[in-house]
Amino acid sequence: MTDLRLRPGLRKSAALPVAALLAAAAALTACAPQDAKTDGAAGAGASGTSTGCAPGALATRTAGTLTIGTDKPAYDPWFSEDKPENGKGFESAVAYAVADKLGYPKEKVTWVVAPFNKATSPGPKDFDFDVNQVSVSAERKQAVDFSSGYYDVRQAVIALKNSKAAGAKSIADLKGAKLGAQVGTTSLDTITDTIKPSTRPAVFDSNDLAKAALKNGQVEALVVDLPTAFYITGAEVPEAQVVGQFDSASQGEQFGLVLDKGSRLTGCVSQAVDALRADGTLAKLEKQWLSDAVSAPVLK
């Protein structure tokens, strides 16, 4: 699966750290995700589990305040107007929802700039957790902790705005289109297993080659993961648009909040994310900011 940065350069997620929790009851409800698997190893090991998460009383970097990190610039639709603190955009909204579950209202949240590579590398962090489209992976978990997944990465279709494929409203509308994807990706699997086009798809060695083929008309549409689709259409091929996304997640790929390795906050943050998934908040925010707001309807 692709793991491209959502801004210039290769990337696709970012994260953050932080410390201890206080004793006390009032543990957040920890419920397993209803609509996707959560990588149990994504969160903390023994050092990161928690038995109590006293609302607003965790051992954060600054007492009584939750510090959240993300990179700059902060791109749409994950954030809005390059202002993570405004609560607009999917990840800003998710961050504030998690903070609220932990007992930190908006006025008790502060943001810091956390470059992607620094946030996901070994070493002490200047945030309690980081939110920046960071895909949970075994390699990254050697350097940092992850919360439970707050977003299940989905595949999407992009096409030039003046093409017939751009008007597709369903999977059936794409069956006659000339589609393309990078070799060895879940994007290509989506074409062959879900769309099942009448024309054999074009297969490319890289997304750069695929984008070039889209620009020069060799293919009518590309299938990429949704975060990559946002970046391609927003920054690289503005004459293209996101046609829609698919309902199923990409083989368990998830974004997780990043914490310092061994952080005692990891368990509490994961409980907050799990509760938001269980009560439907994550699904609601995803629809609001990643479907409706950017016209990326689910194709069925």
Side-chain angles (χ1 to χ4, degrees), residues 149-162:
Y150 63 88
Y151 173 68
D152 308 309
V153 179
R154 290 174 171 79
Q155 296 297 310
V157 178
I158 61 174
L160 296 181
K161 295 175 181 178
N162 60 0

Side-chain angles (χ1 to χ4, degrees), residues 23-283:
L28 296 168
T29 305
C31 301
Q34 295 178 332
D35 58 352
K37 296 181 296 182
T38 294
D39 179 0
S47 63
T49 55
S50 68
T51 55
C53 303
L58 304 185
T60 52
R61 293 185 59 82
T62 301
T65 299
L66 185 69
T67 302
I68 302 175
T70 197
D71 209 341
K72 188 174 182 63
Y75 288 95
D76 291 300
W78 312 102
F79 300 93
S80 179
E81 302 171 351
D82 193 21
K83 296 178 180 179
E85 68 277 6
N86 65 14
K88 299 178 181 179
F90 178 68
E91 291 194 319
S92 179
V94 167
Y96 279 118
V98 170
D100 187 66
K101 282 289 185 184
L102 294 172
Y104 297 87
K106 193 171 184 179
E107 62 270 18
K108 295 295 185 180
V109 173
T110 187
W111 290 81
V112 296
V113 175
F116 181 85
N117 289 337
K118 184 177 180 180
T120 56
S121 298
K125 313 301 180 189
D126 58 0
F127 50 77
D128 291 311
F129 70 76
D130 179 88
V131 57
N132 196 16
Q133 310 105 64
V134 183
S135 293
V136 178
S137 70
E139 180 180 3
R140 286 176 178 154
K141 284 190 286 185
Q142 295 178 24
V144 295
D145 274 2
F146 281 98
S147 71
S148 299
Y150 63 88
Y151 173 68
D152 308 309
V153 179
R154 290 174 171 79
Q155 296 297 310
V157 178
I158 61 174
L160 296 181
K161 295 175 181 178
N162 60 0
S163 71
K164 181 179 178 180
K169 303 298 183 184
S170 67
I171 292 174
D173 292 339
L174 294 168
K175 289 187 180 294
K178 180 64 176 179
L179 305 172
Q182 184 176 343
V183 64
T185 61
T186 50
S187 301
L188 183 57
D189 292 340
T190 298
I191 294 177
T192 58
D193 299 340
T194 301
I195 302 175
K196 301 177 181 178
S198 56
T199 302
R200 186 173 180 177
V203 181
F204 303 95
D205 289 334
S206 70
N207 263 343
D208 286 338
L209 292 174
K211 287 179 289 186
L214 179 66
K215 286 182 177 181
N216 63 30
Q218 286 179 268
V219 294
E220 296 178 67
L222 296 178
V223 175
V224 294
D225 62 66
L226 186 60
T228 300
F230 288 143
Y231 182 64
I232 290 176
T233 56
E236 297 184 314
V237 190
E239 59 270 34
Q241 69 181 53
V242 179
V243 177
Q245 59 183 300
F246 297 92
D247 194 34
S248 57
S250 306
Q251 294 186 354
E253 183 183 0
Q254 294 182 315
F255 291 165
L257 302 174
V258 181
L259 299 95
D260 206 359
K261 185 68 176 176
S263 170
R264 286 178 290 169
L265 291 184
T266 304
C268 288
V269 173
S270 286
Q271 286 181 34
V273 172
D274 289 345
L276 292 170
R277 184 182 289 276
D279 68 15
T281 298
L282 292 181

